[in-house]
């Protein structure tokens, strides 16, 4: 479905995303983690009508925020922020939420409350991407554990595999890639 004409009329939300370092600064002394991956957030009734599309079986509209809406990420971030607002031990960036605690009891209490709020809001989770009660977890490209925050080892391995060329060895016209090597 092509949402270009709708995107021309969509008002941008301009909801700021928090910086990763601001989010991760709250990780001192935590030992238990869970990560939730949200699928989609519900659309307001009046917004649903704007997403109407026609099929051989009739007219339909989206009930959840579809991919392809130009301000989707901002709306998603704002929606998830409002759902999880004011909760201790909960960080959210777009569709990922990290719940953490200093011990299992504190973590489980926070996780239970976050899940209640998410269910109340009508947001569904992707069970294949959720992780529960971990002592270390990858979140926003970082490995977080009781011993601290480190870059994700998989990301480091991918970078280490990059073959670096000297300028005279570049197998294409070096001008076409602009300043990528400077």
């Amino acid at each position: 479905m092509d949402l270009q004409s709708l995107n021309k009329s969509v008002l941008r939300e301009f909801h700021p995303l928090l910086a990763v370092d601001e989010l991760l600064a709250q990780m001192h002394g935590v030992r238990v983690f869970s990560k939730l991956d949200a699928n989609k957030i519900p659309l307001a009734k009046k917004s649903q009508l704007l997403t109407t599309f026609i099929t051989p079986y009739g007219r339909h509209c989206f009930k959840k925020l579809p991919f392809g809406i130009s301000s989707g990420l901002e709306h998603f971030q704002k929606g998830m922020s409002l759902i999880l607002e004011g909760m201790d031990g909960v960080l959210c960036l777009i569709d990922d939420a990290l719940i953490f605690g200093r011990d299992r009891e504190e973590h489980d209490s926070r996780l239970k409350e976050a899940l209640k709020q998410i269910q109340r809001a009508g947001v569904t989770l992707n069970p294949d991407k959720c992780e529960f009660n971990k002592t270390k977890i990858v979140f926003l490209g970082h490995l977080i554990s009781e011993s601290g925050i480190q870059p994700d080892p998989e990301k480091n391995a991918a970078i280490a595999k990059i073959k670096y060329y000297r300028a005279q060895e570049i197998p294409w016209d070096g001008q076409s890639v602009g300043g990528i090597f400077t």
Side-chain angles (χ1 to χ4, degrees), residues 6 33 147:
L6 178 58
F33 309 90
S147 58

Side-chain angles (χ1 to χ4, degrees), residues 58-181:
R59 291 182 187 177
H60 302 280
C61 61
F62 288 99
K63 294 183 178 183
K64 303 236 178 189
L65 182 65
F67 293 108
I69 297 288
S70 61
S71 63
L73 288 178
E74 293 134 6
H75 284 286
F76 207 107
Q77 177 66 44
K78 182 179 181 183
M80 290 301 291
S81 294
L82 291 173
I83 292 165
L84 300 172
E85 185 175 49
M87 296 182 66
D88 289 331
V90 179
L91 300 178
C92 178
L93 190 66
I94 307 174
D95 64 337
D96 291 324
L98 181 70
I99 292 86
F100 54 89
R102 290 184 299 267
D103 55 42
R104 181 78 177 249
E105 184 180 339
E106 181 180 69
H107 165 270
D108 290 353
S109 171
R110 291 172 171 178
L111 177 61
K112 185 177 178 180
E113 185 58 32
L115 289 170
K116 277 188 205 174
Q117 290 292 96
I118 288 169
Q119 184 178 28
R120 232 179 265 136
V123 175
T124 57
L125 298 175
N126 182 348
D128 296 333
K129 292 186 177 180
C130 293
E131 299 179 48
F132 299 98
N133 295 314
K134 303 287 184 177
T135 56
K136 59 183 176 181
I137 200 159
V138 174
F139 187 69
L140 304 176
H142 295 79
L143 178 65
I144 306 168
S145 69
E146 178 182 3
S147 58
I149 300 168
Q150 304 167 348
D152 179 0
E154 287 185 24
K155 305 279 188 221
N156 282 349
I159 291 169
K161 289 181 183 177
I162 294 174
K163 182 175 180 182
Y164 293 97
Y165 294 96
R166 289 183 299 210
Q168 63 269 26
E169 295 175 338
I170 296 175
W172 61 82
D173 173 20
Q175 296 297 317
S176 65
V177 293
I180 195 169
F181 293 108

Side-chain angles (χ1 to χ4, degrees), residues 9 31 41 54 58 64 80 83 136 171 182:
S9 301
R31 300 164 69 161
I41 59 172
I54 300 171
K64 303 236 178 189
M80 290 301 291
I83 292 165
K136 59 183 176 181
T182 57

